[in-house]
Amino acid sequence: MFLPFSFSILKRVAISLRHSPQYYIHKNNGHRFSSTVNKPIHDVNTKVTKDVILFKYENPKYFRYMNVFAVVQYIFWCYLGVFALKNLRDAPVDSSIMNDEETPWFRKINLGENKYKNTLGAIALLVGTGSLGMIWMFTLKSVRYLILNKGGRHLTFVTYTPFGNNRIMKVPLENVCCKEDRKFAKVQLPLKVKNHSMHYMVDMRGEFKHPLLFDSTAGLSRKW
């Protein structure tokens, strides 16, 4: 029961972090339009006089449980790997069993032999470390708040962290590229920040506080 749940979590994380190559910006008579309002984007005043929250996603309990699961499964896989390396004993299989064609193949394997023992230990440690890293990366790339700063020239990303605190990053607006049109996104809306690895994920279950302003700033596709 544990393994299917583990793999389902990792599958969702991997899909969320996958690059999305779609670019959706509507054009009409040389003007770019918002994804939800039929109004030219250049008509929207983006030079805000104070910090404005564009997007908000409050779900700390979900990330807390997910990271608790990540730590637990990491301990489990590390224990399994250390157990395989230290406690599997070399027990050669009897020749009569090896020569018996009716004996199942797995009974002919000596798990204590170095090549099997080391392989099992390495795989367990790799799965535990890899899944922990993927879940932590997904957490660090999940946007909690997206704020357009005063003047409209910078965006502040507030993301979740594995241990419950916020991670804050301020970047120039021109360094942010939206990889998908907001109205077409179903689960996650990927935002790419220049010179940063992977994408920041905007969960569509969150709330867009100012949709038109989002579409006119962070929601634009940019090429560098």
Side-chain angles (χ1 to χ4, degrees):
M1 182 176 180
F2 176 81
L3 290 178
F5 178 69
S6 173
F7 291 135
S8 65
I9 288 289
L10 294 178
K11 182 179 179 181
R12 180 175 179 182
V13 172
I15 292 174
S16 298
L17 292 178
R18 187 176 57 189
H19 174 71
S20 176
Q22 297 172 312
Y23 295 85
Y24 297 97
I25 290 189
H26 299 298
K27 295 186 178 181
N28 187 9
N29 296 326
H31 297 300
R32 289 180 294 180
F33 286 83
S34 159
S35 60
T36 55
V37 181
N38 190 24
K39 180 181 180 180
I41 283 179
H42 59 69
D43 286 350
V44 179
N45 182 17
T46 60
K47 296 181 179 180
V48 292
T49 58
K50 61 179 180 180
D51 290 353
V52 177
I53 297 177
L54 300 178
F55 171 81
K56 174 183 177 182
Y57 178 51
E58 282 289 350
N59 196 2
K61 185 180 293 186
Y62 168 75
F63 289 97
R64 186 183 308 119
Y65 288 159
M66 185 170 62
N67 281 279
V68 168
F69 162 76
V71 173
V72 169
Q73 64 83 34
Y74 173 74
I75 295 173
F76 167 78
W77 285 107
C78 285
Y79 170 79
L80 210 61
V82 172
F83 178 85
L85 291 171
K86 288 189 174 182
N87 296 323
L88 287 179
R89 303 301 179 187
D90 188 9
V93 181
D94 189 84
S95 58
S96 61
I97 296 178
M98 293 291 293
N99 297 327
D100 187 357
E101 296 182 355
E102 296 183 357
T103 303
W105 63 270
F106 56 86
R107 294 193 61 185
K108 298 180 181 180
I109 298 176
N110 174 16
L111 293 178
E113 193 176 346
N114 282 337
K115 64 179 181 180
Y116 294 115
K117 179 173 66 174
N118 294 338
T119 300
L120 288 174
I123 290 176
L125 293 173
L126 184 63
V127 169
T129 304
S131 55
L132 177 67
M134 288 177 64
I135 292 175
W136 277 11
M137 182 62 69
F138 173 69
T139 303
L140 290 169
K141 294 294 183 177
S142 295
V143 177
R144 187 171 189 170
Y145 294 98
L146 188 63
I147 303 170
L148 181 64
N149 296 122
K150 181 179 178 180
R153 301 186 65 179
H154 291 82
L155 279 173
T156 295
F157 286 77
V158 180
T159 64
Y160 288 93
T161 63
F163 302 106
N165 297 322
N166 289 331
R167 180 168 172 255
I168 301 174
M169 178 185 67
K170 186 175 181 180
V171 298
L173 182 60
E174 62 269 18
N175 287 354
V176 178
C177 174
C178 186
K179 293 294 184 176
E180 188 174 352
D181 196 316
R182 180 169 58 85
K183 73 176 182 179
F184 293 115
K186 301 299 182 183
V187 180
Q188 304 276 356
L189 180 64
L191 296 178
K192 176 66 177 175
V193 178
K194 189 176 182 180
N195 298 327
H196 285 247
S197 61
M198 309 182 72
H199 294 81
Y200 288 87
M201 308 309 298
V202 174
D203 198 301
M204 296 305 292
R205 292 174 295 182
E207 178 185 2
F208 289 90
K209 307 289 286 186
H210 298 85
L212 182 55
L213 189 56
F214 175 89
D215 293 340
S216 306
T217 53
L220 294 178
S221 175
R222 296 177 174 87
K223 294 184 179 180
W224 304 304

